[in-house]
Amino acid sequence: MASDLIEKKINRVLFCTSPLQVVNARSAMDYMSSEGRCKDYVVIIHPLLLKSTKLMINYTAQKMNYDKVIDLTYLVNKNNYSDASLPNKIFNIKTIVANKINEYQESSQNIVTALQEKIGNIDIIFFRMNYDYVDSLFINTQKYAIRYGIEDGFGDYIPNYWPFITFNKYEIKHKIKSVFRSYSLFLASIFFTGSWKNNIDIFIKPGCNYKCSYTNIGIKKAIYVGDYFKKNILKLDTKLLHHRKIKVIIIGTLLDSRFRLNIDREVEIYNIIIKLTSKKYGIDSSEIWYKSHPRLSYEDWEFKKKNLHCSTYSYQHNTIAEVELLNKNLRAVYSLNSTTLFYAKKIFDLDSYLIDIRDEDCHPSAYKKAYYLANQFDITTIHI
């Protein structure tokens, strides 16, 4: 009997949509520990991930000692992310409902088959707390696995009631439209199929409840694993990180092209910050480094490299940003909006500054959320 217990294998799986989740799940696993012999898998699930992101997931998983990385993104139909206009949906509603049901059933069956073939029975699953439709496709195939939630960035620290306490019209309108679209299609599915029980998970965001959740910054109703996270980030360290020339880092973000805040204005803002920072810390502008967002286009990176009055990380520099926080010569981190900024303050105890652009013509909620969280975490804001 004792021998059987020692040899018992526990299959643990992360349903993954970003490299950071690989570290977060490992931190949760480290906290949990296990008496059984565990085999840990990363299953990449999001069909819109770039090749470079997948490579980063594989690299990070190797450093975190996962047993295997499995890419199942091909099993999810990208049409799930098309956002047809309301008139088109009404006109083609029967076809849309039928296609959605068929795609869900086909994807679910293919996922079940693939996971069984590549892993076998799954005992424990990890997934992001703010899961999306694609996550639920995979989660709902594992009815008997124990479920745990992990964080996926600063959005997990924004309360669900934030749009209402701040009266953010954009977010409120978005929520109302989303609920209206979902329930309209759900009710239409009942009308066309005569069934509601099988359709609710397809058209309404399913409730994928988890046993408990883990976060890197301490909050209520979650287990704190920040110390484990920091230890795991150390596994990704390289000799190049202790670069004496890197004193300040500006963490880049992605701009929304629907609004007037463009790359020219972004660079102008950064150059003002560079000048102020150089004076504040008594350092040369070459000791201030800009790290672009992983999904920034090469053309935009080239423009920034040419026009920013500071040093720039190479475009191929594809380690997760949190690794840079290990640099012993680093003195401060700046950003318009980044999870790394909040980690810098709360986990790595670095000077951290949010560049406040709420008065710019930019996304009407993203940067207001960042400002809200900066106030919650006592991060200094700089208004340009």
Side-chain angles (χ1 to χ4, degrees):
M1 179 67 73
S3 175
D4 291 340
L5 288 174
I6 292 173
E7 293 301 316
K8 178 177 173 57
K9 182 182 70 174
I10 300 173
N11 287 331
R12 302 189 295 192
V13 173
L14 164 66
F15 291 137
C16 180
T17 62
S18 78
L20 184 62
Q21 292 169 18
V22 177
V23 183
N24 292 344
R26 173 56 71 198
S27 301
M29 292 175 188
D30 290 346
Y31 175 90
M32 294 165 59
S33 70
S34 176
E35 295 181 359
R37 182 170 65 89
C38 295
K39 292 205 71 175
D40 299 327
Y41 299 86
V42 174
V43 177
I44 307 175
I45 65 174
H46 205 301
L48 300 183
L49 290 181
L50 301 175
K51 181 180 179 180
S52 59
T53 304
K54 293 181 180 181
L55 290 173
M56 199 185 305
I57 289 173
N58 274 273
Y59 170 79
T60 307
Q62 180 184 7
K63 291 292 185 178
M64 294 294 113
N65 296 318
Y66 283 84
D67 292 278
K68 191 175 183 180
V69 177
I70 302 168
D71 185 356
L72 296 185
T73 56
Y74 63 92
L75 296 179
V76 181
N77 193 318
K78 293 183 181 181
N79 288 335
N80 288 327
Y81 296 88
S82 63
D83 193 14
S85 65
L86 184 58
N88 284 337
K89 284 186 176 181
I90 293 173
F91 184 75
N92 299 296
I93 193 164
K94 187 174 182 179
T95 301
I96 291 173
V97 166
N99 287 343
K100 190 82 170 177
I101 293 173
N102 290 336
E103 288 169 3
Y104 181 89
Q105 292 173 341
E106 182 180 353
S107 293
S108 296
Q109 185 55 54
N110 290 338
I111 289 167
V112 169
T113 302
L115 290 174
Q116 185 62 39
E117 289 178 352
K118 296 177 183 295
I119 299 175
N121 292 330
I122 297 174
D123 302 290
I124 297 173
I125 59 175
F126 297 84
F127 53 91
R128 54 179 172 167
M129 292 185 289
N130 282 327
Y131 58 88
D132 211 336
Y133 174 80
V134 64
D135 307 69
S136 68
L137 270 175
F138 286 81
I139 296 165
N140 286 334
T141 66
Q142 304 302 312
K143 301 294 185 183
Y144 303 106
I146 301 173
R147 301 174 176 183
Y148 295 100
I150 58 169
E151 73 164 88
D152 188 37
F154 86 90
D156 294 312
Y157 298 98
I158 303 293
N160 291 330
Y161 53 78
W162 178 84
F164 304 101
I165 62 172
T166 59
F167 197 64
N168 188 282
K169 294 180 181 179
Y170 175 86
E171 285 284 320
I172 294 172
K173 182 180 178 181
H174 176 75
K175 285 181 179 293
I176 292 173
K177 287 175 65 177
S178 178
V179 169
F180 178 77
R181 282 196 298 263
S182 297
Y183 277 91
S184 294
L185 288 172
F186 173 57
L187 293 174
S189 74
I190 296 175
F191 178 79
F192 291 124
T193 67
S195 171
W196 68 270
K197 190 173 182 180
N198 295 328
N199 294 340
I200 192 165
D201 284 351
I202 302 174
F203 298 99
I204 308 297
K205 183 177 180 179
C208 300
N209 297 323
Y210 38 77
K211 183 176 180 180
C212 62
S213 59
Y214 299 87
T215 57
N216 299 329
I217 300 174
I219 58 172
K220 293 180 179 179
K221 299 182 180 180
I223 297 173
Y224 170 71
V225 292
D227 294 335
Y228 293 95
F229 174 79
K230 191 172 184 179
K231 289 178 182 178
N232 282 321
I233 290 295
L234 282 166
K235 297 176 184 177
L236 300 173
D237 189 13
T238 67
K239 294 179 180 178
L240 295 175
L241 291 176
H242 300 284
H243 199 307
R244 294 181 180 179
K245 291 282 187 179
I246 304 177
K247 301 292 179 61
V248 172
I249 295 178
I250 299 173
I251 303 293
T253 188
L254 292 177
L255 299 180
D256 192 323
S257 60
R258 294 175 296 173
F259 306 97
R260 290 183 182 177
L261 178 62
N262 57 24
I263 191 170
D264 297 280
R265 176 57 180 158
E266 182 188 11
V267 166
E268 182 183 355
I269 291 171
Y270 286 148
N271 282 335
I272 294 172
I273 292 295
I274 291 164
K275 185 177 180 179
L276 292 173
T277 304
S278 179
K279 184 177 180 180
K280 176 181 177 65
Y281 288 99
I283 59 177
D284 190 81
S285 60
S286 64
E287 296 176 302
I288 302 171
W289 287 68
Y290 171 79
K291 181 171 175 57
S292 61
H293 191 281
R295 296 200 304 274
L296 186 73
S297 70
Y298 182 76
E299 292 74 17
D300 284 350
W301 174 84
E302 272 195 318
F303 179 85
K304 290 181 177 180
K305 180 177 175 59
K306 180 179 179 180
N307 293 282
L308 284 172
H309 302 159
C310 67
S311 301
T312 307
Y313 282 93
S314 69
Y315 190 70
Q316 290 76 26
H317 188 87
N318 57 2
T319 57
I320 62 175
E322 285 71 22
V323 177
E324 312 302 328
L325 304 180
L326 297 171
N327 186 352
K328 293 182 180 179
N329 298 293
L330 188 64
R331 300 176 64 180
V333 178
Y334 290 75
S335 183
L336 299 175
N337 182 6
S338 170
T339 298
T340 308
L341 179 72
F342 301 108
Y343 287 170
K345 172 71 174 181
K346 304 301 290 185
I347 300 176
F348 294 86
D349 197 27
L350 291 165
D351 289 353
S352 305
Y353 301 92
L354 177 75
I355 305 168
D356 181 14
I357 59 169
R358 290 173 300 152
D359 291 341
E360 301 283 339
D361 187 351
C362 58
H363 193 282
S365 66
Y367 301 102
K368 291 179 180 179
K369 287 180 180 179
Y371 181 81
Y372 169 86
L373 206 56
N375 286 333
Q376 297 296 310
F377 289 162
D378 297 321
I379 292 176
T380 302
T381 56
I382 302 175
H383 185 78
I384 300 300

